[in-house]
Amino acid sequence: MNPEPRGRGARLADGVREGLAAIQAVRGWLRQGRRAYLRAPWLFSGFTLIGGSAQLLGQAVQNRASDALAVGEEPVTVSIGLVLAGLVLSVGSLLWLNVGLLRGAWIALDGRTPQLAELVRWQTAAMGRLLGALLLLLLLNLLILATAGLAAGLVSLIHPLLALVPLLIGGTLLVAMFVTQIFHLPLAVAGGLSPVATFRHGRILVPSHGWELLALSLSLVLIVLLPLGLALLIAWPLAAGLLVTWPLALCSLTAGYQGIVDAEDRGSLAGAV
């Protein structure tokens, strides 16, 4: 005997219950992330300072070499070499920083205080998987932006207001991409998945954990953007708050990953990195 179709009111009530349950789950993950960070706050923030400084140094080298290349101050080969060196330093330090913070968060969530030697350890395989996942996401985001921009230009020939439609669709797709791929770091590093498998696994989680992914994404964005907003509104030195909010966000992200992904996937960090 077929069950009777549920009305809009029942579906709305189910959605509200799922949303409230997701908020409660995220609150728990945020508390776990805060406790994990407080196990070694100076270590987490100090390591973030080291990795962030190396990344900024790489970007400064890139910018200086690019300017020199544009005006012809130095030989072309020297400028190009410096651009590539700065790029390698910037990208490498970013990967090293996030892999190390994830490892430290995992250790802290297991109830042990992480050590500096555990965070600074260089892991080529894990960093390579993370780089591949980031490049795939960058490519997909650029594809969405290019398609939305081209479509907006074409439909604007009919009426300027119609250009808003593809732009809104593109923005929605970008937000959806961010939410579904919020776990790309632990999936690639701790889960040991390839870039394509990381992307697919993120989408697989949506039907059963969509509300949790959305609530966690919004919470982490607010945490990370808080010091940047204060820097813009009050004074730029307040951007140094990222030294706290970035590792705190990664600790909470790791707690959410452990709370959502199956247990057999959660214990693989030691082997993967």
Side-chain angles (χ1 to χ4, degrees), residues 185-212:
L185 171 60
L187 284 172
V189 176
L193 300 182
S194 67
V196 175
T198 296
F199 179 79
R200 288 176 176 171
H201 201 92
R203 295 183 59 190
I204 290 173
L205 294 174
V206 174
S208 55
H209 299 286
W211 286 107
E212 288 94 338

Side-chain angles (χ1 to χ4, degrees), residues 19-199:
L20 293 176
I23 292 174
Q24 287 297 111
V26 170
R27 288 179 60 187
W29 298 332
L30 294 177
R31 285 195 295 268
Q32 293 177 41
R34 184 177 68 252
R35 287 196 295 267
Y37 171 78
L38 291 177
R39 282 189 173 274
W42 291 106
L43 176 62
F44 279 119
S45 294
F47 182 63
T48 303
L49 176 61
I50 295 173
S53 298
Q55 185 185 6
L56 292 176
L57 177 60
Q59 292 176 348
V61 172
Q62 280 183 267
N63 295 337
R64 175 66 181 86
S66 298
D67 294 340
L69 185 63
V71 300
E73 290 181 356
E74 299 177 358
V76 175
T77 54
V78 174
S79 297
I80 293 177
L82 289 174
V83 169
L84 293 177
L87 178 62
V88 170
L89 176 59
S90 180
V91 174
S93 59
L94 177 64
L95 298 173
W96 174 66
L97 170 64
N98 286 292
V99 170
L101 286 176
L102 176 67
R103 186 185 302 112
W106 205 282
I107 293 171
L109 286 168
D110 281 343
R112 185 166 63 86
T113 301
Q115 304 298 317
L116 179 61
E118 294 170 313
L119 270 65
V120 302
R121 195 158 37 121
W122 186 272
Q123 296 294 325
T124 304
M127 292 167 61
R129 292 192 302 271
L130 178 57
L131 177 60
L134 291 173
L135 290 176
L136 177 60
L137 292 179
L138 176 61
L139 177 62
L140 293 174
N141 286 330
L142 290 176
L143 182 61
I144 292 173
L145 287 172
T147 303
L150 179 60
L154 291 176
V155 299
S156 66
L157 299 176
I158 302 173
H159 194 284
L161 289 179
L162 291 178
L164 294 176
V165 176
L167 293 178
L168 288 175
I169 294 175
T172 302
L173 290 176
L174 290 175
V175 172
M177 181 83 68
F178 177 80
V179 173
T180 59
Q181 301 303 311
I182 189 67
F183 287 142
H184 71 272
L185 171 60
L187 284 172
V189 176
L193 300 182
S194 67
V196 175
T198 296
F199 179 79

